[in-house]
Amino acid sequence: MTIRGILVDFYGTLARATTWVSADEVLAEHGYTLDDEHRAIYYADGLDGVEHDEHSQSRDHYVSWQRERTLAMLAASDVHPGEYETIIEKLRAGAESRVLEPYDEVPDVLAALRARSLPVVVCSNWDWDLREAMAESGLAHTVDAMVSSAWVGARKPHPRIYAAALDELGLPAGDVLFVGDTWGPDVAGPLEVGCRSLYLRRAGHWPDGTAPPDLAGTTVAADLTGILELLDQPPRAAGA
């Protein structure tokens, strides 16, 4: 299969937070805990595959939806309403103190892909400020385009976000490799729309609860250099 373009996830694939204040930490400071169900919704993993057009009309609409989800998370954690604004302010300050950095090999791999004239588009379940997050990571000028679920109105593995990313590439799915660290959004979803996939399993990475126990037949890589290794594989002979 000829690969003519790359779609790549952002968080956990290109970059990670080296400094971060989590909702769990802020809630614990006030004597509260967050259950797994509402943690997934707050961080949006529990909304994967869902359309949210009404919240993607503008940045203001999206930020308002984020606040609504935060308030729902606080209510589910039995936080006293009188503490809502204090906790929300701590979460906001924590987000502003976040430090995003690329994984060590990422800049060189993206430079190598550019040298091969292979277009790269980021396709991410992120908020409205994906461009700013990419810039913070020092990666904004290393890719050809970006697609955030916030702008599209649907989260991976919804087919609409892949269609938007493929439109940015200007290539059919069969010519595209999708690379990411989460099975459902970055492997199963892309395969469903006809892309080839590369599943990242970084050492020490957070667990991927969406992955099946058996990865037989899946192309797996320890980091992003797996893209270059895959591209350099000799073509298979017909019938092999």
Side-chain angles (χ1 to χ4, degrees):
M1 180 184 296
T2 300
I3 296 172
R4 299 172 54 210
I6 309 293
L7 294 179
V8 62
D9 175 50
F10 171 57
Y11 195 74
T13 298
L14 297 182
R16 80 288 202 195
T18 55
T19 300
W20 184 271
V21 178
S22 72
D24 294 276
E25 292 173 302
V26 174
L27 287 173
E29 184 181 332
H30 288 258
Y32 302 106
T33 59
L34 179 59
D35 64 56
D36 290 341
E37 177 186 356
H38 290 90
R39 180 183 295 106
I41 294 173
Y42 174 73
Y43 288 112
D45 296 347
L47 301 173
D48 284 356
V50 172
E51 295 181 354
H52 45 77
D53 296 286
E54 68 275 24
H55 306 303
S56 292
Q57 299 176 56
S58 69
R59 187 181 190 279
D60 286 346
H61 283 84
Y62 197 85
V63 170
S64 177
W65 184 42
Q66 288 178 303
R67 178 180 171 84
E68 289 172 11
R69 295 207 319 270
T70 300
L71 289 171
M73 177 269 288
L74 296 178
S77 302
D78 293 326
V79 174
H80 189 280
E83 296 180 85
Y84 283 3
E85 292 305 321
T86 298
I87 292 176
I88 286 175
E89 175 57 25
K90 287 184 178 181
L91 291 171
R92 185 200 61 77
E96 288 189 353
S97 70
R98 176 195 69 193
V99 176
L100 291 173
E101 296 183 1
Y103 290 99
D104 292 344
E105 83 285 358
V106 166
D108 287 344
V109 172
L110 293 177
L113 293 173
R114 177 153 291 181
R116 296 182 188 215
S117 298
L118 280 172
V120 177
V121 171
V122 174
C123 180
S124 176
N125 282 351
W126 198 253
D127 60 27
W128 201 270
D129 298 328
L130 177 60
R131 293 187 183 91
E132 290 78 1
M134 283 284 290
E136 181 183 338
S137 305
L139 299 174
H141 301 295
T142 64
V143 300
D144 297 280
M146 307 170 207
V147 174
S148 173
S149 57
W151 312 333
V152 174
R155 292 177 61 84
K156 297 180 294 184
H158 195 287
R160 188 200 301 174
I161 189 170
Y162 305 123
L166 290 168
D167 283 346
E168 291 288 348
L169 277 178
L171 294 170
D175 291 346
V176 173
L177 175 70
F178 197 107
V179 186
D181 67 303
T182 309
W183 182 269
D186 301 330
V187 180
L191 288 173
E192 188 69 24
V193 299
C195 294
R196 190 170 178 177
S197 69
L198 179 64
Y199 184 32
L200 289 193
R201 299 294 295 263
R202 294 183 180 277
H205 200 44
W206 51 81
D208 179 10
T210 70
D214 183 4
L215 297 178
T218 303
T219 305
V220 180
D223 60 37
L224 211 68
T225 59
I227 299 176
L228 304 179
E229 294 168 3
L230 186 61
L231 292 172
D232 289 338
Q233 287 181 1
R236 294 182 180 179

